[in-house]
Amino acid sequence: MKSIDIGDFRVDIITVVNGLVSETDRVRNEFSEHDAYGVALNIEGIQCLKNRRNISDTFDVSELDMVYAKHMERFGEVEIPSPAMYTFVDLVTELNTTCIALDMNDEDFTKLYTDTVGPWQFVKEHRVAKRGMKKFFDGDTPEKLAIQWDEYINRSLKSYAAVSRQREIHIANEIRDVANYRKDLLAIIDVERAKGVIELLEAGQ
């Protein structure tokens, strides 16, 4: 867990590997009482996780997500949606309090994605996924593998890297906003975005 002070406000960040079932134990172990709780998801994503048992349709899974899951299986069982994220949401719900959505909402993300990712990049995603399936990633921990996969995607699809950076900026800004009205925050962020968010917060940007 990483702790950062912003004036009198403290944010404790749990970094997790999406998909890996074993991450649920770490979330439970690092979860503790705080004044507020935040998730690096949008409000729609949080509601989806809260209601996942009542949703009959399967969750949308991209080709890139399927390849990521296949690589991550070498470290254990993998599930979609993210067990780490829904465990955190469940723990907050049990406290009868609210999960603050730290990521941009669907409308804003769709606009960002449409403006940033051109049609050629979208078509190129299939080829990137196909190459990624054959590529060897030597990360010897789930965290290293998740970051290597993210770096591979961002190198191959430059516009995806730009989208990821804008998400990091948005998440960091949302955390600073929470600092204006709460004394501390426990946040859960996927390991791929956590590094950028932490650097932004520490730099005061």
Side-chain angles (χ1 to χ4, degrees):
M1 183 184 296
K2 174 72 174 181
S3 297
I4 302 171
D5 291 326
I6 304 173
D8 295 329
F9 171 84
R10 186 187 79 252
V11 54
D12 295 322
I13 298 175
I14 302 174
T15 61
V16 294
V17 177
N18 279 327
L20 205 57
V21 174
S22 59
E23 288 288 273
T24 60
D25 291 335
R26 190 157 65 83
V27 171
R28 292 190 182 97
N29 289 335
E30 297 189 15
F31 190 88
S32 60
E33 184 176 346
H34 282 67
D35 194 37
Y37 301 90
V39 185
L41 295 172
N42 57 29
I43 187 63
E44 296 88 354
I46 292 173
Q47 288 302 316
C48 189
L49 292 185
K50 290 179 70 173
N51 298 323
R52 67 189 183 278
R53 295 181 182 88
N54 301 320
I55 298 175
S56 57
D57 295 335
T58 57
F59 288 85
D60 289 334
V61 182
S62 72
E63 192 173 7
L64 290 173
D65 287 338
M66 291 175 63
V67 177
Y68 164 85
K70 191 66 179 177
H71 283 295
M72 191 58 68
E73 282 177 352
R74 79 171 188 251
F75 292 106
E77 184 181 0
V78 175
E79 285 184 3
I80 296 174
S82 170
M85 292 295 185
Y86 71 62
T87 297
F88 187 91
V89 170
D90 288 350
L91 290 170
V92 174
T93 302
E94 289 171 9
L95 294 176
N96 197 30
T97 190
T98 302
C99 271
I100 298 171
L102 300 177
D103 210 341
M104 58 187 71
N105 61 40
D106 273 352
E107 182 179 354
D108 290 342
F109 179 79
T110 299
K111 184 178 186 308
L112 171 65
Y113 188 90
T114 302
D115 291 345
T116 308
V117 180
W120 173 243
Q121 289 279 70
F122 185 75
V123 172
K124 189 179 177 183
E125 181 181 305
H126 171 72
R127 294 212 304 262
V128 173
K130 190 174 180 179
R131 288 200 308 269
M133 190 67 196
K134 299 176 182 177
K135 184 176 174 61
F136 174 71
F137 297 91
D138 62 1
D140 57 0
T141 67
E143 292 81 6
K144 289 179 181 178
L145 174 57
I147 290 172
Q148 286 179 347
W149 174 255
D150 187 65
E151 290 174 344
Y152 165 70
I153 298 301
N154 290 337
R155 284 196 308 269
S156 304
L157 301 164
K158 301 298 185 182
S159 58
Y160 282 42
V163 170
S164 294
R165 187 56 176 173
Q166 288 304 310
R167 287 187 56 222
E168 292 169 358
I169 292 170
H170 184 93
I171 292 167
N173 286 339
E174 287 297 314
I175 290 173
R176 289 194 201 92
D177 184 62
V178 176
N180 293 322
Y181 61 92
R182 295 297 182 98
K183 64 180 181 180
D184 58 44
L185 170 74
L186 180 63
I188 184 169
I189 305 175
D190 51 287
V191 67
E192 303 96 301
R193 303 281 70 80
K195 181 176 182 291
V197 172
I198 289 170
E199 288 175 349
L200 288 166
L201 292 173
E202 291 181 332
Q205 297 178 5

